[in-house]
Amino acid sequence: MKAHGLGHKASASWLLLLSVAVFLLPWYKVPPDGISALWESAFFHAMAGRLWLLPVIVLPIVLLVVWQQRSALKRQIMTLLLLAFGLLSLLLQVSLIGLNGPLFTSVAGLFPGASTGQTGLGWGGFLTAIALLGLLANELADSGFCKGDRFAAAAVVFVVALLGLFVFFPIIKLATTAFTNPEGGLALQAFGARLIAPELWRLNCISSEGGSCGVVINSVVLGIMSATLSTLLGLALAMLVARTGFRFTKTLRAISILPIITPPFVVGVALIVLFGRSGLVTGWGAELFGVTPSRWLYGLPGILMAQTLAFTPVTFLVLLGTLEAINPSLEEASHTLGAGPLRTFQSITLPLLRPGLAAAFLLAFIESLADFGNPLVLGGGYEVLSTKIFFAVVGARYDLGNAATLSIILLALTLGAFWIQARWLGKKSYVTVTGKSDAGLAAPLPKPLQAVSYSIVGLFVLFTLAVYAIVLLGGFVNDIGRWDLTPTLRHLGTAFSVEMGGNGIEFYGSAWSSLKTTLLVSALAAPLTTAIGIITAWLIARQNFAGKRQFEFGTMLSFAIPGTVVGVSYVAAFNVPPVDITGTMVILVICFMFRNMPVGMRAGIAALSQIDRSMEEASQTLGAGGFTTLRRIVLPLVKPAMFTAMVYSFVTAMTAVSAVIFLVSARHNMATAYIMGRVENGEYALAITYSAVLMLVMIAAIVIFSALIGKRRLGRRVPDNAKPQLSEAVSVN
Amino acid sequence: MADIAIEFIDVVKKYNDVTAVDQINLSIRRGELVTFLGPSGCGKTTSLRLVAGLELPTAGQMLIHGRDVSRRPASERNVGMVFQSYALFPHMSVLDNVAYGPVIRGESKHKAHARALEILELLGLPNLSRRLPSELSGGQQQRVAVARAIAQQPEVMLFDEPLSNVDAKLRRKVRAEIRELQQRFGLTAIYVTHDQEEALAVSDRIVVMNAGRIAQIGTPEDLYDRPNSPFVADFIGDANLVDGKVAAGCFSAGNLNLAIPGEAGNARVSIRPERIVLGGSAKPGSISGEIVSATYLGSRMEYVIATNFTELLVSRPIAEPRLGLKQHVSLVINEKDLTRVS
Ligand SMILES: Nc1ncnc2c1ncn2[C@@H]1O[C@H](COP(=O)(O)OP(=O)(O)OP(=O)(O)O)[C@@H](O)[C@H]1O
Ligand SMILES: [Mg+2]
């Protein structure tokens, strides 16, 4: 039939892929050093006794027969049923048969011969799943899903499948790991015991006997203190910028970008260099005031300092947004009613700021819970959930069950905070005006508050400058830790020496390998993250399909999960068949893709909401399918969003540590993991040098991205929405 | 039938619980310009989008040139659409906009550009081809939008209120241009508007819609002279709707008695204001009334006349002698000007 000509062509390609995957490609994972045996396809294995592979093998043949059916309706229904059956059988067999045969003895009867067991899926297996999903999407489109657009239908199906596999599945796996023992049996008692363990909840630190509190208590206390401090600091900064004639607004905004291009650990290291036992400031203190050097920095004070430095920019941006949205005429009205500046601030400005304050506080709280780098470097004996989880997986006492339990607690705390934030902001946001009002001048800050703000900000800026001065300096002096300032290039040499050998340039430096991996992973992750983020944004903003709300929720969930939890859940999920990909570079890229996708998604949704959708419809009536329309119409119009997504995902991939630290391997080490190793060995100078190099690379990359994505050549019909700004990325995160 | 271009068969479109289009049956012949006319929210745009493939029907079938396209997306139909907002691509030059369709459908860039230029020339825009849409006036943008839709040689052209962004003076000219173009190319076209004058001026046939259903289909004359319902009578032009009784082939209301075909019972008739003739004084066989308002409208006078059965709106050419307030007049109504609407 002519009407289905195109549909058949697309289906035929998917069918071809399915056949190749089933008959020609190795079904199972090929070990890294193994040789790919091309004949070890599903077909081969099924003949050799793995009978559970038969359904996917006969499927292409049955489909071909069914497609000879004349009645379109019958053909469609039968194809859908067959595909559902194929997918289900695949899902069942990969989830029920493990390395050593059936996972539960009760299912052994279902899969005769399964006692041989099976390893993780290889190219054949993965491509089979992809082909089945592609066929499914095509069939759904032909029956009207996504208004019949094949690309949109495929995008929905694949994004849902990917989210399922890389966001939900790991979390479910994490939960089952917590509830079961390594042998696969239910172990609720063990879970209960871990859940109420005193090392999580004890309150010794406030009792008279002294001692340390449980990790949960520690995490929450740290979170609250750090959120309070950074909210107050952020408020002071925002007040200065919005309510005084402060002249260094640009500088402040620039400084607020620093934390996201700062590799982890360096701030901690810089603090050690300044305030550690043999630190610079400590030395001055001892000399001038006779203060005995001590290790006060290690523990709550140090982490608090580092976190406050890192989160203040975020709270600053959030509060600045709120302050700028407050209609100045309200404050003016208060003045005309006879209230003084201080009174007005108290009774008008502050209450209006409350939603912003809550948002800033909760954001900082969530980030503090998720923070891994600072507690690791500066924690000393102060254990928090994220570090505890790390040592349960990586340390000498490997205990995935315990790590999973701790992760669930951390996840519950984070989701709880997100939930409160959503509730609070939903109810209490008395937005006074939408957009800006030019109805008056903002009330200047009352004098006493102004003085306080200025001194706080002065301190903050001084502190930031000191820390970054050390980062800049540290790599090029003999030993910054001991304050030996003899200039030298030896650290740079250790990390990045090159020599002209017989075979051209040889990279000798110890950091080259991790730098190469990091660059490769980031360069792969950035476009992929952007692609999936923008496609998801497009689906949410432009397509209507059943289950869209759940879909949206799913994408936001991946945003809310702390990195440490993601790391553990990936270890739990992808260390075993069927998707056995730990130790590869793929898992690093995937991890970044799904962690950073929401930033591109949000930027994309915001950009798309500014674009008249009839432009895309025009493109469709002119004969362009979903993909062509996306490429030729949508993408050129959402370039700023792409830029934000691209830069954010690249930079985060270079600086993230909490999730990848679980996923790196000797073959594929990442820069941050390497730096962490140096910090643990006390090789501060090397860590600092490497960090400085990374920051340079990031700045260069941002320049390259903006050149690649290019300037927009648009007319007045499209509002010039927000220029690409990194600070946007910060505030959405 | 071979000369049917578009066919709606029992087409229903629901958005969740809103039924935007409710069981529409309609055939549009090749080369015909059909207007969808109706009040806001009656489902005109939705019907148009169903033809384009921008919406798929909840039930029923959509045929284009005999081919069932009910489940085919817009990109697999060959339908040109001119959007209310024009929807020109802001990042492409006028030429690239017009050449977009041919390029997408696989023509070489060179050929597509040549074709685009040809069409732009036809529409009197050849020297704008290098500009961006943002550098054009509203009227020019509208023509570029038409050119872009025509460039792909569509089987069907769709216009969704194409003149709503054109300023009032220009409308008459542009609508004549669209009509001329449609006839020159022999295009099958659907034109959506809620301006009844526009509909009367451009259409071969008009489809009057009300609340998702078709109220009446017919030529402009049909609809104006023979509305089938009070809704249509009232929506197209002005109408006096008079309630009365039909008995023995005669409609009577007050002292109005006129022969009318059809069955006996309660009836409502429509009388166009300009079909009522006014005389200076009461004559036998006429009805009489008193003028309660007289409005000068430049080209004509509008009177509201109170009779003993209802108030009637009467419109007379300005050349006739002016009548004053409170004046008693006789009204002459012809049998053929009476249309029974219920
Ligand atoms: N995407 C949508 N989702 C839900 N309801 C819709 C949607 N599009 C249209 N409707 C509803 O369907 C009905 C018909 O809408 P439609 O746009 O076809 O009206 P219209 O006749 O074109 O009106 P107008 O003259 O105002 O353009 C309206 O009640 C409208 O609210
Ligand atoms: Mg409309």
Side-chain angles (χ1 to χ4, degrees):
Chain A
M1 264 181 83
K2 200 178 161 226
H4 290 80
L6 260 170
H8 266 171
K9 213 155 90 188
S11 292
S13 327
W14 287 121
L15 190 69
L16 186 69
L17 179 67
L18 179 62
S19 315
V20 170
V22 168
F23 290 108
L24 294 181
L25 295 176
W27 182 261
Y28 291 113
K29 181 183 172 181
V30 180
D33 45 356
I35 311 153
S36 150
L38 213 54
W39 61 86
E40 290 193 1
S41 63
F43 183 66
F44 168 86
H45 283 292
M47 294 300 111
R50 293 192 156 110
L51 294 180
W52 60 87
L53 293 175
L54 278 178
V56 289
I57 294 168
V58 294
L59 197 63
I61 302 158
V62 180
L63 276 176
L64 263 185
V65 175
V66 165
W67 288 353
Q68 304 311 313
Q69 176 70 244
R70 296 302 298 262
S71 146
L73 189 66
K74 269 192 199 161
R75 191 182 58 215
Q76 223 161 44
I77 292 175
M78 285 168 78
T79 311
L80 276 174
L81 285 176
L82 279 171
L83 289 173
F85 167 74
L87 280 165
L88 198 69
S89 78
L90 184 67
L91 203 63
L92 278 180
Q93 62 100 342
V94 296
S95 52
L96 292 178
I97 306 177
L99 273 174
N100 309 314
L103 293 181
F104 312 100
T105 43
S106 49
V107 298
L110 262 175
F111 305 106
S115 52
T116 40
Q118 58 182 354
T119 54
L121 295 177
W123 281 110
F126 287 126
L127 287 179
T128 300
I130 289 172
L132 287 177
L133 290 173
L135 280 166
L136 180 70
N138 225 6
E139 217 51 45
L140 287 175
D142 278 346
S143 52
F145 186 63
C146 286
K147 293 184 188 166
D149 191 275
R150 291 204 175 78
F151 173 73
V156 171
V157 167
F158 281 111
V159 173
V160 167
L162 286 172
L163 283 179
L165 182 58
F166 293 115
V167 178
F168 287 102
F169 170 62
I171 295 296
I172 291 167
K173 194 80 183 184
L174 187 74
T176 45
T177 310
F179 295 136
T180 53
N181 55 31
E183 289 73 48
L186 205 60
L188 286 180
Q189 225 164 7
F191 174 71
R194 289 198 212 104
L195 200 60
I196 55 166
E199 58 171 9
L200 302 188
W201 304 100
R202 64 168 179 252
L203 292 168
N204 291 8
C205 52
I206 49 171
S207 75
S208 51
E209 295 139 42
S212 59
C213 276
V215 273
V216 178
I217 307 295
N218 278 350
S219 288
V220 173
V221 167
L222 171 67
I224 290 174
M225 292 178 76
S226 157
T228 310
L229 266 179
S230 33
T231 305
L232 287 178
L233 255 173
L235 180 63
L237 289 176
M239 282 288 181
L240 272 193
V241 170
R243 290 290 191 270
T244 68
F246 189 66
R247 273 178 304 161
F248 305 104
T249 309
K250 281 227 171 89
T251 324
L252 217 51
R253 280 191 189 264
I255 286 183
S256 71
I257 293 173
L258 277 176
I260 56 165
I261 64 162
T262 307
F265 313 116
V266 270
V267 170
V269 169
L271 287 181
I272 293 175
V273 168
L274 285 171
F275 302 107
R277 229 170 84 86
S278 50
L280 178 66
V281 177
T282 314
W284 290 344
E287 234 167 77
L288 299 178
F289 309 109
V291 182
T292 335
S294 73
R295 296 176 52 86
W296 65 270
L297 184 69
Y298 298 92
L300 189 59
I303 309 175
L304 208 52
M305 266 165 102
Q307 288 195 342
T308 308
L309 270 184
F311 307 151
T312 298
V314 180
T315 58
F316 161 63
L317 290 175
V318 170
L319 288 166
L320 188 60
T322 321
L323 261 179
E324 282 176 343
I326 291 178
N327 192 341
S329 51
L330 289 175
E331 289 166 347
E332 281 180 326
S334 167
H335 288 300
T336 60
L337 292 171
L342 211 52
R343 184 72 198 276
T344 300
F345 181 81
Q346 237 177 35
S347 57
I348 306 290
T349 317
L350 210 52
L352 286 173
L353 264 180
R354 217 172 275 154
L357 286 171
F361 180 90
L362 285 164
L363 261 170
F365 180 73
I366 290 164
E367 294 230 1
S368 165
L369 282 181
D371 185 21
F372 168 75
N374 293 314
L376 191 78
V377 178
L378 295 165
Y382 195 84
E383 281 191 310
V384 293
L385 278 166
S386 56
T387 48
K388 188 94 177 162
I389 291 170
F390 175 69
F391 288 116
V393 174
V394 181
R397 288 171 45 213
Y398 177 83
D399 184 354
L400 198 55
N402 194 27
T405 310
L406 293 171
S407 297
I408 286 175
I409 296 173
L410 181 54
L411 187 60
L413 283 175
T414 318
L415 290 182
F418 261 103
W419 183 75
I420 293 174
Q421 186 191 20
R423 292 280 305 219
W424 182 288
L425 292 184
K427 275 196 186 145
K428 288 255 180 166
S429 84
Y430 359 72
V431 176
T432 53
V433 278
T434 45
K436 279 197 185 174
S437 149
D438 49 7
L441 274 179
L445 210 55
K447 275 272 149 24
L449 276 181
Q450 208 162 333
V452 175
S453 284
Y454 265 113
S455 36
I456 293 178
V457 169
L459 221 75
F460 173 76
V461 172
L462 195 74
F463 212 72
T464 308
L465 289 181
V467 165
Y468 283 91
I470 288 189
V471 174
L472 282 182
L473 196 68
F476 305 96
V477 297
N478 209 8
D479 187 350
I480 191 84
R482 298 216 159 66
W483 210 242
D484 172 359
L485 296 186
T486 330
T488 172
L489 285 179
R490 71 183 173 97
H491 307 301
L492 202 62
T494 316
F496 298 107
S497 66
V498 284
E499 266 172 43
M500 291 302 293
N503 316 321
I505 302 178
E506 285 178 31
F507 298 95
Y508 279 114
S510 61
W512 278 119
S513 136
S514 64
L515 183 65
K516 276 188 222 161
T517 310
T518 304
L519 278 177
L520 189 57
V521 167
S522 307
L524 283 173
L528 288 174
T529 312
T530 308
I532 193 167
I534 299 280
I535 286 179
T536 309
W538 179 71
L539 289 178
I540 287 176
R542 292 294 199 260
Q543 300 291 330
N544 275 313
F545 49 89
K548 186 170 145 182
R549 304 198 69 182
Q550 290 81 339
F551 180 77
E552 256 189 283
F553 173 76
T555 55
M556 288 330 289
L557 184 67
S558 80
F559 196 52
I561 307 173
T564 324
V565 177
V566 172
V568 177
S569 71
Y570 271 40
V571 169
F574 302 123
N575 216 356
V576 287
V579 186
D580 179 4
I581 51 173
T582 44
T584 64
M585 207 186 284
V586 176
I587 198 172
L588 295 172
V589 174
I590 284 176
C591 175
F592 286 130
M593 265 176 82
F594 290 91
R595 270 184 72 57
N596 299 331
M597 161 190 130
V599 171
M601 191 184 91
R602 281 207 192 175
I605 289 177
L608 280 170
S609 69
Q610 307 259 339
I611 297 171
D612 182 2
R613 73 157 73 188
S614 59
M615 250 156 350
E616 289 150 58
E617 296 176 342
S619 165
Q620 283 170 289
T621 61
L622 291 166
F627 179 69
T628 314
T629 301
L630 191 68
R631 187 170 63 87
R632 303 187 67 140
I633 309 298
V634 179
L635 292 190
L637 297 179
V638 299
K639 270 183 187 172
M642 282 173 62
F643 178 83
T644 308
M646 199 80 123
V647 167
Y648 181 83
S649 45
F650 184 82
V651 165
T652 328
M654 297 207 63
T655 58
V657 68
S658 55
V660 281
I661 200 79
F662 295 91
L663 305 174
V664 293
S665 51
R667 272 167 76 101
H668 306 293
N669 201 9
M670 294 282 285
T672 47
Y674 176 89
I675 293 176
M676 185 175 126
R678 304 290 70 75
V679 172
E680 283 180 325
N681 286 351
E683 299 170 61
Y684 295 156
L686 204 51
I688 287 176
T689 315
Y690 201 166
S691 301
V693 169
L694 279 184
M695 289 174 78
L696 280 181
V697 169
M698 281 182 261
I699 290 167
I702 293 173
V703 172
I704 292 172
F705 281 138
S706 53
L708 275 184
I709 292 183
K711 291 218 165 57
R712 298 203 300 166
R713 182 168 160 257
L714 292 185
R716 62 183 138 91
R717 288 185 64 99
V718 174
D720 186 34
N721 47 332
K723 289 204 194 74
Q725 261 184 0
L726 258 185
S727 49
E728 259 170 62
V730 191
S731 60
V732 286
N733 191 18
Chain B
M1 270 201 303
D3 67 338
I4 298 292
I6 303 168
E7 206 167 354
F8 288 72
I9 304 173
D10 289 329
V11 171
V12 176
K13 177 68 196 179
K14 288 187 182 160
Y15 296 106
N16 303 321
D17 47 351
V18 183
T19 306
V21 167
D22 195 359
Q23 284 248 330
I24 282 193
N25 281 290
L26 173 67
S27 300
I28 296 173
R29 288 186 287 274
R30 283 185 197 226
E32 193 178 27
L33 192 156
V34 169
T35 301
F36 288 171
L37 179 65
S40 189
C42 69
K44 306 179 295 285
T45 299
T46 307
S47 307
L48 201 71
R49 291 167 62 84
L50 284 164
V51 177
L54 296 172
E55 305 289 348
L56 301 186
T58 313
Q61 278 175 300
M62 221 28 261
L63 308 186
I64 296 182
H65 288 180
R67 183 166 75 107
D68 183 354
V69 292
S70 314
R71 299 266 156 257
R72 300 288 86 220
S75 54
E76 289 171 29
R77 307 180 184 190
N78 187 6
V79 167
M81 182 151 172
V82 177
F83 289 80
Q84 191 169 0
S85 59
Y86 311 140
L88 297 177
F89 307 134
H91 57 299
M92 294 184 190
S93 69
V94 165
L95 192 66
D96 284 331
N97 262 282
V98 179
Y100 187 82
V103 167
I104 293 294
R105 290 181 193 275
E107 239 172 71
S108 75
K109 195 153 186 168
H110 184 74
K111 268 178 129 178
H113 276 179
R115 163 100 129 285
L117 264 180
E118 210 175 289
I119 288 168
L120 283 172
E121 214 151 310
L122 213 81
L123 288 168
L125 303 164
N127 42 13
L128 300 182
S129 62
R130 299 258 150 254
R131 295 213 197 151
L132 285 178
S134 56
E135 297 160 351
L136 299 180
S137 75
Q140 290 167 332
Q141 288 181 18
Q142 205 266 350
R143 269 185 264 185
V144 173
V146 173
R148 185 178 67 180
I150 288 183
Q152 56 169 333
Q153 297 179 311
E155 293 173 345
V156 179
M157 273 293 275
L158 307 174
F159 298 89
D160 189 2
E161 307 203 20
L163 303 186
S164 59
N165 287 326
V166 177
D167 84 68
K169 284 258 168 198
L170 213 60
R171 268 187 213 166
R172 204 178 281 262
K173 182 162 165 274
V174 178
R175 85 185 178 208
E177 272 176 16
I178 289 180
R179 177 64 164 162
E180 201 255 338
L181 207 68
Q182 179 260 334
Q183 288 185 324
R184 172 143 45 124
F185 285 89
L187 292 168
T188 309
I190 304 180
Y191 190 104
V192 165
T193 178
H194 54 229
D195 178 345
Q196 42 115 356
E197 186 191 316
E198 200 174 305
L200 293 172
V202 298
S203 326
D204 289 312
R205 284 196 298 158
I206 297 175
V207 175
V208 182
M209 297 186 64
N210 186 20
R213 290 170 176 271
I214 294 182
Q216 190 174 0
I217 309 175
T219 62
E221 292 82 6
D222 279 340
L223 294 184
Y224 193 79
D225 294 338
R226 288 173 292 283
N228 67 358
S229 60
F231 173 79
V232 176
D234 202 33
F235 195 77
I236 298 195
D238 292 317
N240 291 296
L241 295 173
V242 182
D243 289 316
K245 273 194 166 45
V246 174
C250 181
F251 174 82
S252 49
N255 55 354
L256 177 72
N257 285 297
L258 286 168
I260 197 167
E263 51 196 89
N266 284 335
R268 179 179 283 181
V269 298
S270 145
I271 308 163
R272 296 291 177 194
E274 69 279 6
R275 297 291 165 87
I276 301 176
V277 182
L278 298 180
S281 58
K283 286 181 207 146
S286 69
I287 30 179
S288 64
E290 184 191 342
I291 296 181
V292 292
S293 90
T295 314
Y296 172 75
L297 288 176
S299 61
R300 63 205 153 92
M301 284 300 292
E302 247 179 38
Y303 303 104
V304 176
I305 299 173
T307 66
N308 67 348
F309 55 98
T310 183
E311 285 193 345
L312 291 173
L313 179 72
V314 178
S315 165
R316 300 308 307 165
I318 206 76
E320 285 186 6
R322 231 39 100 73
L323 299 169
L325 274 183
K326 301 257 157 100
Q327 205 171 331
H328 284 264
V329 289
S330 70
L331 301 88
V332 182
I333 300 171
N334 280 317
E335 285 163 14
K336 68 171 174 49
D337 292 328
L338 212 61
T339 309
R340 184 167 175 181
V341 291
S342 78

